[in-house]
Amino acid sequence: MRRCLIVAFAVIAAACTTAGADDTPTTRAADVAMTTSTLPAPPSIAPTVPATADTAPPPPTTAPATPPLDRGDSATLERMAADLAVALDIGPHPAGGDADREWSEYIEAQLVDLGLDVSEEEVALPTGHTTRNLWVTLGPVGAPHVLLGGHHDSVEVSPGVDDNGSGVVVLLELARRYTEAPPEASVTIAFFGGEEVPTGYEPSDHHYGSRLMAARLADAGELPDLMVSADMIGVGDRLLGVTYMEGADDAARLLAQSAEQAGVPIDVISRGDISDHEAFARAGVPSVFMWRPDNPAWHTAEDDHYEPALLLEDLAVLERFVALAPEWLRNAD
């Protein structure tokens, strides 16, 4: 019941902004969680009118039509704010714990509510616990395959609103949109478990979920054509497209083109194994890490806020990436 209340009472994120040090509007997920306004019905959707006949009508032979998704900025931010309020309420959710399971169950419930078939696999951790990967695939079978992923775990001390609640909620919003208007590409949206290093382990002890998925897909001959890791994209104006070491930069160049079309400045750089694109890049998939690096609250208890306008930018960039991918891949061949 607590979760339902939070989702029901989470309202327009932009109305809950506070000015940061650089006067960039930010929203604290706590402000959204504590709001007690009722979410208004979108003005474009007529309210349901109860039947007034003396006898009840026969049951419908088909399911009622789902109201069209309101893609206006305000409605989009309301949905993402509601998702992030849940993450904050759950609190720190390191991989393998009860909070990690609770957050992943919320993600799964959102996907199921869209009528999607959710796949999952158990991910073993060096701590002796397990977490899981979740994913859905939308779009035509046999079309160019794009994998968009983001990890759902946080470090032990952090509520993880930016790292990586921001990536999760943007991917959830893409799933909502693609359910209503399927993309031309075949798109897998994945939520990885176990990206963060467990407390007390070595820096290389990470990316368990993405490494498992990449290995499984490689063994089956089903690796995607392109991969994007959306990780920590809710704070800081500087957007980066990060390749793994000196691997193929195809995905990074396409991300840069997508950002340019969306009017979002972006720089392309190379780094090591700092996000879930690493395993796919090592398997030969053109992969890129979409990242906003300038969050001083990263991996701390203060990672409890985000900048709403940036989530809209991220969403626009990823939508363009998917839209451009089929022609990009045809030309690459």
Side-chain angles (χ1 to χ4, degrees):
M1 178 62 71
R2 178 184 62 183
R3 192 71 57 251
C4 296
L5 289 174
I6 289 170
V7 174
F9 295 150
V11 295
I12 301 174
C16 303
T17 56
T18 58
D22 58 355
D23 291 330
T24 302
T26 63
T27 293
R28 293 190 176 276
D31 296 336
V32 179
M34 294 175 63
T35 301
T36 57
S37 301
T38 302
L39 182 66
S44 60
I45 302 175
T48 301
V49 178
T52 57
D54 294 336
T55 59
T61 57
T62 58
T66 301
L69 185 69
D70 186 341
R71 299 193 184 199
D73 288 356
S74 177
T76 300
L77 287 173
E78 287 173 12
R79 291 188 292 268
M80 291 193 286
D83 295 332
L84 285 169
V86 174
L88 183 69
D89 182 63
I90 290 171
H93 40 280
D98 291 343
D100 176 45
R101 171 62 65 164
E102 186 177 2
W103 178 225
S104 73
E105 286 177 348
Y106 173 82
I107 295 168
E108 182 178 19
Q110 302 310 299
L111 299 171
V112 170
D113 285 349
L114 294 172
L116 297 172
D117 293 326
V118 183
S119 299
E120 70 171 281
E121 63 188 347
E122 187 175 271
V123 179
L125 300 170
T127 60
H129 297 96
T130 62
T131 182
R132 59 179 181 157
N133 291 332
L134 303 169
W135 69 94
V136 295
T137 300
L138 306 99
V141 175
H145 185 196
V146 177
L147 192 155
L148 307 176
H151 68 91
H152 59 74
D153 59 311
S154 75
V155 296
E156 192 171 74
V157 300
S158 174
V161 167
D162 185 29
D163 185 14
N164 183 38
S166 59
V168 166
V169 302
V170 169
L171 294 179
L172 279 176
E173 185 62 17
L174 280 172
R176 295 178 181 117
R177 293 177 178 223
Y178 291 148
T179 299
E180 183 175 79
E184 181 183 342
S186 175
V187 179
T188 294
I189 298 177
F191 303 89
F192 301 121
E195 190 269 351
E196 301 287 5
V197 177
T199 300
Y201 285 77
E202 296 298 319
S204 59
D205 293 325
H206 57 178
H207 304 173
Y208 295 100
S210 54
R211 287 175 177 176
L212 175 64
M213 180 176 284
R216 174 176 54 76
L217 293 176
D219 288 344
E222 297 175 353
L223 284 166
D225 297 303
L226 294 167
M227 189 274 175
V228 181
S229 174
D231 185 357
M232 199 171 136
I233 54 175
V235 174
D237 290 338
R238 188 165 57 122
L239 180 64
L240 301 179
V242 185
T243 63
Y244 173 65
M245 303 295 284
E246 301 305 320
D249 67 350
D250 304 60
R253 288 188 290 113
L254 179 55
L255 189 71
Q257 181 179 329
S258 304
E260 180 181 4
Q261 288 192 7
V264 180
I266 188 171
D267 292 317
V268 174
I269 66 170
S270 294
R271 290 285 297 273
D273 57 345
I274 58 174
S275 189
D276 284 313
H277 65 308
E278 167 245 348
F280 293 90
R282 286 187 173 187
V285 177
S287 304
V288 62
F289 167 27
M290 183 177 176
W291 181 34
R292 296 184 185 274
D294 301 321
N295 184 356
W298 170 71
H299 282 190
T300 73
E302 284 70 49
D303 182 7
D304 61 357
H305 61 281
Y306 62 100
E307 297 168 22
L310 299 185
L311 297 186
L312 293 176
E313 289 185 1
D314 302 331
L315 184 63
V317 172
L318 285 175
E319 281 191 303
R320 282 165 174 77
F321 184 94
V322 170
L324 293 172
E327 182 177 359
W328 176 278
L329 290 165
R330 285 192 293 266
N331 291 338
D333 294 338

